[in-house]
Every structure is written in structure tokens, then in C-alpha cells.
């Protein structure tokens, strides 16, 4: 197998081969007039150099014409724009588009601006399915739908089915076409036929088919154009790749692929799969190769095979194939992943610090160790540069910290690294955080909504009073809040709005230590002047007097709002009625500070989430009265889906999730 790999590699080193029907090799590979051209490199910087050369050598006739580059992710687009600006001095008239955005723009140009029916978008499709899963639900689903909390189950199932059908629209266009033509081999097909009959109009799959048909026409008007660059993608939907193939017959399409290997590696498998293949392993040309590639590279292998099939050519040589290995443990690992021969690997000291594993007992301790390690690394590079032994100085912007669950670490980061910004000793910013996690307004709003399912404890109310927007709405300044919290503690309030609220939670119908009980004590304390005499079984709270007693009225207004909400959440409503109710609730609870842009953005995001929920139900034509459980399920999903704060590469250390920045080069990861 090694001989086969060496022979294949030797053929690749002799040139790129025939790609898209065009012979090309050497420097003229960037100058093809049309065809599908693939460029590989293990380092994204090498791909950026090649893209910069492409943009320089293929200037459009119109100096003001905009160029299009398709990028895998907004974070990669931000890095690419900065990298091109460093290499070219300026970047102008360059549109960085995500794959789905590019396909959408192409459809608009060739098919007209009539978009696909919005009822086929997942958010609206789930509401349409929610209506169809009523009395006429498929028999296979009745057992699930007839369980407890039926409407909540019904919405969860509708949401899941909407996700599946949305994937079919992208990856199983042929299935949907067959189902719409009358084929019913499965209950999903019958349900889709009902969806299609109810929604009507073209969906994404139909528009994709129309786009491919238009691109296949010999006299297509889109034939002319500058080369199209697709940068840094690690996977593409088959339909998107088919669009690029069709375009390559009329214009050059350059795909810049970050590939960890120098050698072809689509036949590498884990030892378990090799044993399972048995005698057939040799016929399939399977081998184990590098264990990390075999264990974690299945998606890259699938994409590599997909590209080789699309281009009908061998895998081209990597742009940075001849780069010398770094004499470090990390460099040795990188070169072994690239499937270089062992004698080409540099000897490395396992204790050189280029690759470290820290075992910590808590997340907080992880961050503390991380801080110390980063401070040490920055100090070492400063000393090396001063002594003349080091390269360019390492700065915080060259560092990325990735976590599989960023939300779990985000509250701890300021405690260890201080406030976010560029003025701290270790400046940093947090990218890709959902809006619901970055402002206390979201937590306060969700705590209020939890009243329908959870008992109201004194801690919840104290947390609400500490939300500035809520205190502002009820006219409480800092001193009044402190006074009211002290009176709440002295009143011995425990939980429950009143005795009825306690009884609904399964506790004894007891008025003592409820919020109504505490409010009675405060009111009686003010009316009695604090003489301490028990009245109607209630002990007045001493000290409630003067102008500070206005807090009692504010407290009563807050409790009345919460009690009214508790009653309203028990009544089923249409989605639009629920949205109107929640919008009024937000207005009655929170008043934004015009001087605080973060607070205003949080309130705007809440209102936008509600508006989107109403629009989705309206697009689906859903006017069914639903209970609070089902609506809360939809609202939680909408809040979770609110776009994150896209603070990509904003300066300082970047904290982010595992996916967005995985292909962006950093000095320290």
C-alpha cells in the first residue's frame, strides 16, 4: 500500500493534472478561462497567498466591479479580509459570501427575485406541521402524541420533522420530487404531500433544480464573468457543488481547500474498521495511516472523495508541500499528520512546551491555569525578541481559546481575566455568544416566564429587583431597592404569591410567609405607625415610614403584574395573541436606559424574537389556540436561535466555540 501511495504522490508532484477538462500546471493554473480548479494547502496562509495572486492576475475589465469570494464562515471571512489587506495594501469591492448566500444571489440573477415560499423555511414549517399533526396525524405517531402534555409533544415533534424535511430540501431533492409525484412508500411521504398541498408555491429544492437547468443552457446569460473563488470550506452540500460544477463550464471556479495532509488520505480508516473489513481491506485499498486522521477526519475524507468525483481528476499537490518541519513536538505531530516519511521528521524534545495537556479539577481552575500559561508565553516571546533570538513579537491577538461549551465558561472568564476590552493586561473578547447569554434582561424575562411551571421564591424576586431595567420601570433607585430588600428579608417571606399559589403547587393552603403575607406586614406597619400591635392575626413590620414607604406601593405593583401574568399564562391563545401578551409584558416590566446600548440591544432582541415568532406562525397560517407549554417551547427555541454577537477578531485574545475559528491560523491555540 505504501508503494501505491508513493506512486500516486509522484504523479501528483508532476503537476495538477486535468481539472474540469483543462490541462494546467505550474504558474498558469491561476489563469484558466473556465474550469474547476482545486488548490490545497495545510496552512490557510498559503491559500490566502494563492487567492491574493488570483485576485491580482485576474483583474476585471471594470475597475469598480465587485468581486465575489465564497467563504465557509463569517469568522473566516473576517480573517481573510484582514489577510488580503495586509498582502495587497487595500481590499475594496470584495463581497465575502457564505455558500447559501452565493447560491441565493445566483438564483435571483437567473430566475428572478421571486423567492422560495417562506412556508418551507424550518421556523414556519414547524407551525404548519403543528396544525397537520392534529386529529389527522399519521397512525405511526399517535402513540407519542397521546402522551402527557400533548400540545408540547406535538410542537416538539413538529419542530423535529421540520428539521428533517429542511434537510431533505437540501440533500434529498429527488425524494421530495418523487413524493410530490405521488410515490408514498412511507408515512413521511404522505405527510409531505399534505405539507406541499397546504404550503403551495416553489420550495428551495424546486428553485435549485430550476437553477441547475438554467446553468445547463448553452446560451445562458451568466457565461461571462471573473473567476469565482471558494475559500476555506470543509464541506459543501451536493447541490451547491453541482452549481459550482455547472458554473465552471462558463467561468473559472477556484476552490481553496485547507487539507491537513501532503499525501492522499481518503483510504485511511481506524483499526476497528480495518479489522471489520477483513479480507476485503486489500481490495478497497484501506490502511490505518495516522490514528488522528482516521478517528477525526471522516468528514474531510468524505469531502475529498466528493471533490475528486466532481473534478474527475487526481488530488493536486499541496501548495506548501515542501515546507520544512518545525523542530518542535507540535511540528513533529503536524508533519506526521501530513503523512510525511519518518526520516523527514525533525527530532523534538517532548518537554519543549509546544504541545501541552493540563488536567484541572474545575472549569475555573482551567481558566486560571490558562491565564498563567498565556502570561508566561507572552513574557517568553518578549524576552526572546529583546535578546534577538525570537521572531516577531507574540501579541494577544495571536491567541485563540476554544471551548466545546462556551456558555459554561463565559461567566467565569471575566472573573479570571478581568473585564473584556483592550486595556487589560490580557485583553480579550468573547465571540459567538448567543444574545440570551450576554445580558441579565434575558435571564430576568425567562425567570418571569417560569412562573407558570415553578414556584416563585424570594430569591427570584430579589434577582428581578437587581435588574436595572426592571427597577427603572417601577421607579426604584439604588437606595429604595436596598430598603425594599431589607424589608422583604425582615418580613420573612419564603415563597408563593399567596395561599392560592401555594395550593396550586401542592403545598398546604397557608398564607404565612407568602409574598402577600409580607406585603400585608409592610402595609400594616406603615398604617399602624409601628406600634407593634397584632391586627387580624398579622404582626406589623416596624420601620416602614416616611418617604421610603413608597417602596411598598412599588412592591405591590410588581406583585400584581406577576399575579396577572400567572393567570394569563393558564389560558390557551393563538400564537399571535401570545406574542401580543408577551410584548405587553416586556413593556410593563422593563424600561431601557437610553445611555446603555447593551440594554437597548437586549430589549430589541427580545422584541425581535417575539415578532419573528408571530411572523412564522402567520406565514404558516397557524391560528390554532395553543397552551403555554407549546408556546414556551417555541419561544425558547427562538431565543436560543437569536444571532450571536459576531465579534470576530476584534482584538486581543479570542474566546470562541470549537467550530467557527478551527481553520483560522493563530500563534497559540
Amino acid at each position: 500500500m505504501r508503494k501505491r501511495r508513493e506512486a500516486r504522490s509522484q504523479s501528483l508532484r508532476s503537476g495538477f493534472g486535468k481539472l474540469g477538462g483543462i490541462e494546467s500546471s505550474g504558474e498558469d493554473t491561476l489563469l484558466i478561462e473556465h474550469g474547476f480548479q482545486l488548490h490545497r494547502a495545510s496552512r490557510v496562509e498559503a491559500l490566502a497567498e494563492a487567492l491574493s495572486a488570483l485576485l491580482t492576475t485576474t483583474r476585471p475589465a471594470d475597475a469598480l466591479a465587485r468581486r465575489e469570494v465564497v467563504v465557509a464562515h463569517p469568522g473566516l471571512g473576517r480573517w481573510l479580509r484582514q489577510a488580503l489587506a495586509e498582502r495587497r495594501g487595500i481590499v475594496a469591492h470584495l463581497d465575502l459570501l457564505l455558500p447559501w448566500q452565493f447560491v441565493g444571489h445566483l438564483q435571483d440573477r437567473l430566475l428572478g427575485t421571486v423567492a422560495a415560499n417562506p412556508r418551507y423555511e424550518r421556523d414556519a414549517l414547524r407551525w404548519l406541521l403543528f396544525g397537520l399533526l392534529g386529529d389527522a396525524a399519521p397512525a405511526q405517531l399517535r402513540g407519542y402524541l397521546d402522551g402527557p402534555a400533548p400540545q408540547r409533544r406535538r410542537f416538539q415533534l413538529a419542530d423535529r420533522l421540520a428539521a428533517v424535511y429542511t434537510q431533505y430540501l437540501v440533500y434529498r431533492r429527488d425524494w421530495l420530487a418523487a413524493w410530490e409525484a405521488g410515490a408514498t412508500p412511507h408515512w413521511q411521504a404522505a405527510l409531505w404531500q399534505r405539507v406541499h398541498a397546504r404550503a403551495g408555491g416553489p420550495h428551495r429544492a424546486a428553485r435549485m433544480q430550476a437553477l441547475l437547468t438554467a446553468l445547463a443552457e448553452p446560451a445562458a446569460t451568466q457565461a461571462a464573468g471573473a473567476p469565482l473563488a471558494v475559500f476555506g470550506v470543509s464541506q459543501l452540500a451536493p447541490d451547491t457543488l453541482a452549481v459550482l460544477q455547472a458554473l465552471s463550464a462558463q467561468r473559472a471556479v477556484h476552490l481553496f481547500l485547507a487539507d491537513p495532509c501532503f499525501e492522499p488520505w481518503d483510504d485511511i480508516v481506524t483499526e476497528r474498521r480495518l479489522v471489520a473489513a477483513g479480507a476485503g481491506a486489500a481490495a478497497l485499498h484501506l490502511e490505518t495511516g495516522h490514528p488522528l486522521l482516521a478517528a477525526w477526519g471522516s468528514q474531510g475524507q468524505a469531502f475529498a472523495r466528493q471533490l475528486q468525483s466532481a473534478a474527475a481528476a487526481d488530488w493536486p499537490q499541496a501548495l506548501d508541500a515542501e515546507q520544512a518541519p518545525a523542530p518542535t513536538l507540535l511540528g513533529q505531530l503536524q508533519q506526521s499528520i501530513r503523512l510525511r516519511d519518518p526520516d523527514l521528521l525533525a527530532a523534538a524534545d517532548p518537554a519543549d512546551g509546544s504541545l501541552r495537556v493540563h488536567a484541572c479539577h474545575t472549569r475555573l481552575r482551567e481558566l486560571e491555569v490558562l491565564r498563567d500559561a498565556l502570561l508566561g508565553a507572552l513574557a517568553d516571546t518578549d524576552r526572546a525578541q529583546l535578546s534577538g533570538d525570537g521572531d516577531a513579537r507574540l501579541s494577544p491577538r495571536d491567541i485563540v481559546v476554544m471551548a466545546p461549551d462556551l456558555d459554561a465558561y463565559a461567566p467565569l472568564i471575566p472573573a479570571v481575566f478581568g473585564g473584556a476590552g483592550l486595556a487589560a493586561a490580557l485583553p480579550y473578547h468573547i465571540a459567538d455568544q448567543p444574545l440570551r447569554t450576554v445580558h441579565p434582561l434575558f435571564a430576568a424575562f425567562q425567570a418571569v416566564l417560569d412562573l407558570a411551571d415553578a414556584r416563585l421564591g424570594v430569591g427570584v424576586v430579589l434577582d428581578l429587583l437587581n435588574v436595572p431595567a426592571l427597577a427603572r420601570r417601577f421607579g426604584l433607585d439604588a437606595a429604595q431597592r436596598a430598603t425594599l430588600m431589607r424589608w422583604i428579608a425582615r418580613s420573612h417571606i419564603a415563597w408563593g404569591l399567596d395561599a392560592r399559589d401555594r395550593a396550586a403547587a401542592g403545598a398546604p393552603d397557608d398564607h404565612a410567609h407568602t409574598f402577600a403575607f409580607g406585603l400585608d406586614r409592610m402595609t400594616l406597619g406603615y398604617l399602624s405607625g409601628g406600634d407593634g400591635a397584632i391586627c387580624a392575626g398579622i404582626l406589623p413590620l416596624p420601620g416602614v415610614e416616611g418617604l421610603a414607604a413608597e417602596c411598598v406601593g412599588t412592591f405591590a405593583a410588581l406583585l400584581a403584574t406577576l399575579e396577572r401574568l400567572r393567570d394569563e399564562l393558564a389560558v390557551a391563545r393563538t400564537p399571535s395573541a401570545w406574542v401580543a401578551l408577551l410584548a405587553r409584558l416586556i413593556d410593563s416590566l422593563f424600561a431601557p436606559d437610553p445611555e446603555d446600548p447593551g440594554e437597548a440591544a437586549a430589549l430589541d432582541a427580545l422584541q425581535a424574537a417575539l415578532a419573528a415568532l408571530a411572523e412564522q406562525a402567520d406565514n404558516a397560517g397557524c391560528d390554532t389556540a395553543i397552551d403555554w407549554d407549546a408556546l414556551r417551547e417555541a419561544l425558547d427555541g427562538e431565543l436560543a436561535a437569536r444571532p450571536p454577537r459576531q465579534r470576530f477578531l476584534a482584538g486581543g485574545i479570542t474566546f470562541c466555540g470549537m467550530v467557527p475559528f478551527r481553520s483560522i491560523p493563530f500563534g497559540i491555540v
Side-chain angles (χ1 to χ4, degrees):
M1 293 184 186
R2 177 175 295 278
K3 290 181 178 179
R4 183 184 67 84
R5 184 177 298 281
E6 290 176 351
R8 187 177 177 188
S9 298
Q10 183 62 36
S11 68
L12 296 181
R13 291 188 183 98
S14 64
F16 283 107
K18 188 176 182 181
L19 296 179
I22 295 178
E23 295 286 351
S24 60
S25 63
E27 297 179 357
D28 63 346
T29 55
L30 296 179
L31 302 179
I32 59 174
E33 294 182 359
H34 61 86
F36 193 89
Q37 184 72 47
L38 181 63
H39 310 272
R40 293 172 54 242
S42 65
R43 299 183 65 85
V44 184
E45 300 97 316
L47 294 176
E49 289 283 358
L51 176 59
S52 179
L54 173 67
L55 296 176
T56 300
T57 56
T58 58
R59 299 180 184 274
D62 182 1
L64 298 180
R66 302 194 68 84
R67 302 289 295 273
E68 290 181 334
V69 175
V70 180
V71 294
H73 187 271
L76 181 61
R78 177 71 177 269
W79 176 87
L80 180 60
R81 192 178 291 277
Q82 293 180 1
L84 291 177
E86 291 173 357
R87 288 164 173 79
R88 298 164 55 85
I90 187 173
V91 173
H93 302 294
L94 185 67
D95 293 332
L96 301 180
L97 305 173
L98 302 180
W100 65 269
Q101 291 175 324
F102 171 74
V103 172
H105 291 177
L106 193 60
Q107 288 174 336
D108 291 343
R109 288 200 295 266
L110 300 184
L111 306 179
T113 56
V114 179
N117 190 333
R119 289 190 174 190
Y120 291 104
E121 297 296 329
R122 176 182 174 178
D123 293 333
L125 185 57
R126 60 183 179 174
W127 288 108
L128 194 153
L129 285 164
F130 180 82
L132 294 177
L133 291 176
D135 297 334
Q140 294 88 339
L141 305 179
R142 294 307 319 174
Y144 175 80
L145 293 173
D146 291 339
Q151 285 208 335
R152 184 174 186 176
R153 285 170 169 260
R154 182 172 155 193
F155 185 84
Q156 289 174 337
L157 180 59
D159 186 56
R160 181 67 174 174
L161 286 172
V164 171
Y165 283 135
T166 302
Q167 292 296 307
Y168 289 168
L169 286 167
V170 177
Y171 294 100
R172 290 293 182 265
R173 191 161 35 90
D174 53 337
W175 289 10
L176 299 183
W179 293 351
E180 292 164 13
T184 56
H186 194 270
W187 62 263
Q188 288 189 37
L191 184 58
W192 177 258
Q193 290 173 354
R194 295 175 59 197
V195 168
H196 189 250
R198 176 73 64 85
H203 47 62
R204 181 187 304 178
R207 272 177 69 83
M208 180 61 73
Q209 181 59 54
L211 175 62
L212 292 173
T213 301
L215 288 172
E217 294 177 359
T221 57
Q222 72 280 0
L228 173 68
V230 182
F231 189 88
V233 294
S234 58
Q235 62 177 341
L236 285 172
D239 282 343
T240 303
L241 188 57
V243 168
L244 295 178
Q245 280 185 275
L247 276 176
S248 68
Q250 303 149 0
R251 61 190 289 195
V253 176
H254 295 263
L255 195 151
F256 296 85
L257 176 66
D259 190 330
C261 291
F262 169 62
E263 309 284 357
W265 61 291
D266 54 292
D267 51 4
I268 291 176
V269 297
T270 60
E271 290 188 10
R272 177 179 296 182
R273 185 181 169 193
L274 190 67
V275 172
L284 295 174
H285 303 292
L286 300 179
E287 53 185 282
T288 54
H290 198 284
L292 291 181
L293 280 176
W296 295 343
S298 58
Q299 184 185 74
Q301 287 178 310
F303 190 49
R305 288 190 289 267
Q306 185 182 6
L307 288 175
Q308 291 182 59
S309 174
D314 282 327
W315 212 226
Q317 182 180 359
L319 297 176
D320 56 351
E322 302 306 323
Q323 183 180 9
T328 63
L329 183 62
L330 179 60
Q332 187 176 21
L333 176 62
Q334 290 169 334
Q335 292 301 101
S336 67
I337 289 176
R338 301 187 70 197
L339 304 182
R340 297 293 294 269
D341 292 332
D343 57 349
L344 296 178
L345 301 179
D349 179 7
D352 64 11
S354 61
L355 180 62
R356 307 181 190 178
V357 176
H358 300 274
C360 305
H361 56 279
T362 63
R363 293 190 180 97
L364 180 63
R365 184 57 183 159
E366 287 181 40
L367 290 170
E368 290 172 345
V369 172
L370 171 67
R371 177 198 58 200
D372 294 344
L374 294 181
L375 286 171
L378 292 170
D380 289 343
T381 59
D382 287 344
R383 284 193 295 269
Q385 189 184 33
L386 289 175
S387 63
D389 298 331
D391 297 327
R393 179 179 181 273
L394 181 72
S395 67
R397 69 189 297 267
D398 301 318
I399 301 171
V400 64
V401 180
M402 295 186 283
D405 184 7
L406 184 61
D407 291 349
Y409 288 88
L412 304 174
I413 294 173
V416 176
F417 286 82
L422 301 180
L426 281 175
Y428 71 91
H429 69 279
I430 304 177
D432 263 356
Q433 273 192 286
L435 282 172
R436 61 184 174 85
T437 66
V438 300
H439 202 280
L441 269 179
F442 287 92
F445 180 63
Q446 291 184 315
V448 171
L449 298 184
D450 286 340
L451 281 176
D453 304 313
R455 66 187 193 180
L456 181 66
V458 65
V460 174
V461 173
L462 294 178
D463 288 342
L464 289 176
L465 290 174
N466 277 321
V467 176
L470 186 139
R472 194 178 302 111
R473 170 60 69 196
F474 288 91
L476 292 172
D477 58 26
Q480 290 173 319
R481 286 206 310 274
T483 299
L484 182 55
M485 290 178 180
R486 186 170 64 252
W487 289 347
I488 290 174
R490 289 173 53 204
S491 298
H492 299 292
I493 298 172
W495 68 276
L497 281 169
D498 51 25
R500 180 168 66 97
D501 194 22
R502 282 198 172 186
D509 186 0
D510 188 359
H511 182 69
H513 304 295
T514 64
F515 282 94
F517 165 83
L519 183 61
D520 288 344
R521 288 197 63 192
M522 295 179 200
T523 305
L524 191 58
Y526 177 72
L527 294 175
S528 66
D531 60 8
I534 295 178
C535 178
I538 299 175
L539 179 66
L541 182 68
V544 182
E545 56 188 10
L547 295 177
E550 292 180 3
C551 300
V552 178
T554 300
F555 187 45
L558 175 60
L559 294 178
T561 301
L562 298 180
E563 183 176 13
R564 184 170 63 254
L565 174 65
R566 180 195 61 183
D567 296 335
E568 289 176 331
L569 293 182
V571 180
R573 290 175 170 81
T574 63
S576 58
W578 277 118
V579 167
L581 169 65
L582 295 177
R584 291 196 302 271
L585 173 67
I586 292 175
D587 217 28
S588 63
L589 285 179
F590 306 112
D593 182 1
E595 303 297 327
D596 186 347
E599 200 170 72
L603 278 176
D604 288 344
L606 280 177
Q607 297 287 5
L610 293 177
L613 204 60
E615 183 180 4
Q616 295 157 14
D618 184 62
N619 286 339
C622 180
D623 56 358
T624 305
I626 63 175
D627 59 27
W628 170 244
D629 283 343
L631 194 282
R632 180 66 188 272
E633 189 76 20
L635 181 61
D636 286 346
E638 186 60 35
L639 289 175
R642 285 289 94 191
R645 294 193 304 178
Q646 304 287 2
R647 300 183 62 197
F648 297 125
L649 305 180
I653 301 170
T654 298
F655 286 87
C656 64
M658 297 292 288
V659 175
F661 289 76
R662 62 184 175 183
S663 58
I664 299 178
F666 286 93
I668 293 180
V669 180

